[in-house]
Amino acid sequence: MLSEVGQSSEFSPRQNAVLEQALRLLVDGGEKALTTSGVARAANCSKESLYKWFGDRDGLLSAMITYQASKVRTFERNGERLNTASLHDHLVIFARDLLEVLAGDVSLALNRLAIGQSNRDGSKLGKLLLERGRRQIDRRAIGLIDAGKRAGLLRFTDADEAYHALYGLIVSDLHVRMLLGEPGLRDSSRQAEKAITAFLKLYGTEKVLAEAAATV
C-alpha cells in the first residue's frame, strides 16, 4: 500500500519549525553555531524542550537530517493503484525533489561538514547522513519502484540495482560538482523529466513503452 510521504511525520509542525531554524544556523554559522542555546534562541523555545524532543546534540543532528531527507517525496496517496501516468509523475516528483534538496544550501553544508570531519575520531555526522538521510531516501524510492513492478509497469530482477541506475540518471556527478563549488542546475524539472524518461526506457514494461510512444 502506498502511503503519503512529505514533511516528516516523525515530528510535529512545531518541531519541524525548530529543525528548520537549526538547519539555518548550521548553514549560516557552521558547526560552532549549532548549540542548544543558539537553537533555542533562534527557534524561540526552551533548551528543556529541545532535550525533551531530540535528546543530546547527536539526537538533534539526527533529527535535522531526518527532517531534511523527508523533503524528498515519493508516494502521495494512500491505497493508490499505480498506472503509467501516476508512476511517471511520482518518479518525476522524487527526481525533482532529490535534485532540489541536494542542491540546497542545507544539504551542501551538511555534506561539506561531514567530509571535513571524516578523519576526526568520534565524528558521527557522516554516519548519520548515511543512516538517517541517504538510506531513508533510498528505502522510500525502492518502495516506489517495487510498487511499479507489482503493478506490471517496471521489470527488473534486482531492486537495488534498478534504484542505483535511477539515482545515477538523476544525479550523475552533479552533487560532487556542487560540493566543489559549481552552481546547481538552472532547471531541475527538465533534468528530472529527462532522467525518468531514460529510466522508464530501461526498466519499463512493454505496456509502459507503448503508452509512452503513443504520447510522443
Side-chain angles (χ1 to χ4, degrees):
M1 179 178 291
L2 303 185
S3 59
E4 185 174 351
V5 177
Q7 294 299 324
S8 176
S9 60
E10 290 189 34
F11 310 114
S12 70
R14 176 60 176 139
Q15 290 167 341
N16 285 340
V18 170
L19 293 170
E20 194 69 49
Q21 290 297 322
L23 288 166
R24 182 48 50 193
L25 278 176
L26 182 66
V27 170
D28 292 342
E31 184 182 10
K32 292 181 179 179
L34 193 65
T35 64
T36 52
S37 296
V39 173
R41 184 166 52 253
N44 194 25
C45 70
S46 68
K47 289 193 288 185
E48 290 75 19
S49 293
L50 290 178
Y51 286 119
K52 178 181 177 182
W53 292 336
F54 310 119
D56 60 13
R57 189 172 182 277
D58 285 343
L60 175 61
L61 271 172
S62 178
M64 291 163 61
I65 293 165
T66 297
Y67 170 72
Q68 184 70 2
S70 76
K71 297 176 183 178
V72 181
R73 296 167 292 169
T74 48
F75 303 148
E76 291 296 317
R77 291 176 291 276
N78 255 345
E80 178 184 5
R81 175 69 176 177
L82 285 174
N83 56 37
T84 300
S86 62
L87 174 63
H88 169 273
D89 290 348
H90 285 313
L91 286 169
V92 169
I93 287 170
F94 168 74
R96 187 175 62 243
D97 284 357
L98 180 62
L99 287 168
E100 291 177 356
V101 166
L102 290 178
D105 290 343
V106 169
S107 289
L108 291 173
L110 282 168
N111 279 276
R112 285 169 179 152
L113 182 58
I115 292 168
Q117 293 181 357
S118 60
N119 292 326
R120 186 184 304 176
D121 290 341
S123 175
K124 298 180 180 179
L125 183 55
K127 184 178 180 180
L128 287 172
L129 278 172
L130 285 173
E131 293 181 350
R132 304 295 293 175
R134 174 66 187 269
R135 286 173 186 159
Q136 295 304 310
I137 293 171
D138 293 353
R139 177 181 56 79
R140 296 200 307 267
I142 289 172
L144 173 57
I145 64 174
D146 273 337
K149 183 179 181 180
R150 291 195 301 272
L153 303 172
L154 297 175
R155 52 186 174 186
F156 51 80
T157 56
D158 187 320
D160 285 336
E161 181 180 287
Y163 169 67
H164 283 100
L166 172 64
Y167 191 95
L169 287 167
I170 297 168
V171 179
S172 184
D173 65 343
L174 178 65
H175 196 216
V176 173
R177 289 190 281 113
M178 286 188 295
L179 286 170
L180 294 173
E182 283 194 16
L185 293 169
R186 291 183 179 180
D187 189 352
S188 59
S189 294
R190 182 180 179 185
Q191 171 64 16
E193 188 69 49
K194 286 174 57 180
I196 299 313
T197 297
F199 177 75
L200 291 176
K201 285 181 179 178
L202 286 171
Y203 291 98
T205 60
E206 292 181 3
K207 176 183 178 181
V208 170
L209 297 174
E211 291 186 19
T215 61
V216 175

